[in-house]
Amino acid sequence: MTAPFVSSSTRYEVTTPPPVDRSTRARTGELTLPHGTVETPQFMPVGTNASVKALSPDDLREVGASIILANTYHLYLRPGHERIERLGGLHRFMAWDRPILTDSGGFQVVSLGDLRVVEDDGVTFRSHLDGSIHRFTPEHATAVQEALGSDVAVAFDQPVYPSSPREVVADATARTHRWAERSLAAHRRSDQAMFGIVQGGLDPELRSESAAFIAGLPFDGICIGGLAGDETPAEREAAIDVAVDVLRDDPRPRYLMGLGSPLDLLEAVDRGIDLFDSVLPARVARNGQLWVPGGRLNLRNRTFLDDPRPVQDDCPCLLCRSFSRAYLAHLFRARELLAYRLATCHNLTFTLDFMARIRASIRAGTFPADRPALRSRAGRMSGGEAAEQSA
Ligand SMILES: [Zn+2]
């Protein structure tokens, strides 16, 4: 069994290692960060603008969130990392006292920033808010995250679409490696972890080289980036397998960025992933899609207007404890703000409860046998289908 990983900011211990028969790579662990301990495998709700949309910190605790993600790019542009620092840091600013991970900003710079110019030194881009010109370098992205004071900072990277041509992926991956070294060299806070990002697209050779390079640096955890994009589930799973092969004996936590449908989470846990984040459960909730065992209910459908039952019988969430499907369907039709809060509470409760069921199954040593039941609870919806549903 691998000894726990310990640094000035981070302790990670695998509490249930994968079985020796290789029937799964799923494992449980405990990740201890400056603001608390996170049981893995774990899902991080996304608080883009220092708020998980429609929820208060009390709501977040009630749905079972033990760690959340906040977006470096968004908070840098608005209200500004220096302002948040002056106001006591991100935890105090948003009144959330449990762990926070800030992403690198790389994905938003590439996907939201207009007129971006990528050079070896950094990326120049135009704000999606007001058109102003900004520049992110590895050093600057690190300084922004240090000012925010998150528990985990992530090294600046250059993500590309998984389906990009090989030379484009190779170029971005090599730049991501140089930026990983510069991010680490710029990182000063000993009370903040820093995770590095593996890129490499869908090319097994590039993905494997990237995993080996990033794992060779003194990061506190390893992110697997550049997936949860336009690849098929089979392509994604193959890329995860390549990276986890390289990281097999590495003691640090593995975080797959941007994946959020229950079935996708289950398949990635099975392949050895410990941490996840996605806007998906909350986004589809705000569109009236409620996740229930085996599938989903579309509360915008008229049939629910006369349905007195809760969305999910055995669900302990704020919605299901007190309100009927008929009431929520009415709230959505009337565009009442409470609809968004109640629906988001439910989908995050469902997602975090699903992760708790996965952890219990791994701990009991029955995960391979429980996979079919967990798959049927997750339903058939993949991230891609869910995105279409919400469009
Ligand atoms: Zn519920």
Side-chain angles (χ1 to χ4, degrees):
M1 192 169 163
T2 316
F5 171 78
V6 181
S7 71
S8 64
S9 58
T10 309
R11 183 178 192 280
Y12 185 65
E13 179 171 10
V14 174
T15 48
T16 313
V20 289
D21 67 8
R22 297 174 164 222
S23 52
T24 178
R25 278 178 161 166
R27 59 187 195 172
T28 65
E30 276 182 11
L31 174 61
T32 302
L33 296 164
H35 288 83
T37 295
V38 174
E39 304 276 337
T40 67
Q42 190 58 264
F43 177 81
M44 300 184 276
V46 177
T48 302
N49 293 306
S51 160
V52 175
K53 289 188 196 310
L55 301 194
S56 70
D58 281 342
D59 290 336
L60 277 174
R61 278 184 279 271
E62 201 186 295
V63 303
S66 57
I67 177 170
I68 62 165
L69 179 146
N71 286 122
T72 297
Y73 167 90
H74 290 282
L75 295 175
Y76 157 80
L77 286 178
R78 182 177 59 192
H81 58 293
E82 287 161 333
R83 177 174 284 131
I84 290 177
E85 185 175 34
R86 284 197 299 276
L87 292 165
L90 186 54
H91 287 89
R92 182 161 173 197
F93 185 57
M94 65 181 295
W96 172 252
D97 59 4
R98 294 181 183 176
I100 301 174
L101 180 145
T102 43
D103 62 2
S104 72
F107 177 74
Q108 282 76 24
V109 164
V110 168
S111 61
L112 294 178
D114 288 337
L115 298 174
R116 61 186 178 278
V117 179
V118 180
E119 296 157 318
D120 279 341
D121 185 54
V123 183
T124 306
F125 60 96
R126 218 182 258 284
S127 161
H128 74 291
L129 295 175
D130 63 5
S132 54
I133 301 284
H134 299 266
R135 184 165 176 76
F136 262 28
T137 61
E139 291 77 15
H140 188 52
T142 301
V144 170
Q145 295 177 81
E146 289 190 340
L148 295 172
S150 51
D151 294 76
V152 181
V154 174
F156 193 55
D157 66 325
Q158 186 194 347
V160 289
Y161 285 105
S163 60
S164 305
R166 189 179 196 274
E167 58 272 23
V168 172
V169 176
D171 185 56
T173 302
R175 190 172 291 110
T176 293
H177 294 170
R178 296 192 291 275
W179 288 357
E181 293 176 316
R182 283 169 55 189
S183 297
L184 272 173
H187 191 237
R188 299 275 175 271
R189 284 187 74 150
S190 60
D191 61 343
Q192 181 183 56
M194 179 169 261
F195 286 12
I197 305 186
V198 173
Q199 288 290 346
L202 301 175
D203 185 289
E205 197 183 340
L206 291 175
R207 183 60 74 173
S208 169
E209 280 173 19
S210 186
F213 185 91
I214 295 298
L217 297 175
F219 286 115
D220 300 303
I222 309 293
C223 310
I224 299 176
L227 298 175
D230 57 0
E231 78 282 7
T232 66
E235 288 172 331
R236 180 192 319 132
E237 286 155 15
I240 296 171
D241 285 341
V242 167
V244 175
D245 269 339
V246 175
L247 302 170
R248 190 172 40 225
D249 298 319
D250 194 287
R252 293 168 289 187
R254 306 164 190 153
Y255 159 31
L256 180 58
M257 308 173 90
L259 207 60
S261 88
L263 188 59
D264 290 343
L265 298 178
L266 177 68
E267 301 300 339
V269 166
D270 195 13
R271 288 170 168 76
I273 303 297
D274 306 307
L275 283 170
F276 302 92
D277 79 283
S278 173
V279 298
L280 188 72
R283 179 175 288 166
V284 300
R286 296 196 302 277
N287 282 306
Q289 297 275 339
L290 281 283
W291 288 352
V292 293
R296 57 184 182 262
L297 306 179
N298 182 354
L299 268 287
R300 293 189 180 276
N301 191 319
R302 319 184 38 88
T303 58
F304 293 113
L305 285 168
D306 291 298
D307 193 334
R309 293 172 294 170
V311 162
Q312 183 186 328
D313 274 328
D314 56 351
C315 176
C317 87
L318 184 68
L319 168 67
C320 298
R321 277 204 310 270
S322 305
F323 303 105
S324 63
R325 296 173 180 184
Y327 182 63
L328 184 61
H330 157 68
L331 292 181
F332 270 114
R333 293 198 156 226
R335 294 197 172 83
E336 281 293 335
L337 298 181
L338 184 58
Y340 308 114
R341 179 179 175 214
L342 294 177
T344 304
C345 280
H346 175 80
N347 273 9
L348 286 177
T349 298
F350 181 85
T351 306
L352 292 165
D353 170 76
F354 187 64
M355 299 309 289
R357 286 168 189 266
I358 290 175
R359 291 194 300 275
S361 167
I362 297 168
R363 282 194 202 104
T366 55
F367 181 78
D370 295 340
R371 261 184 308 222
L374 288 165
R375 277 196 192 109
S376 79
R377 188 175 183 89
R380 294 222 160 267
M381 183 167 53
S382 71
E385 281 175 72
E388 276 172 40
Q389 290 284 336
S390 70

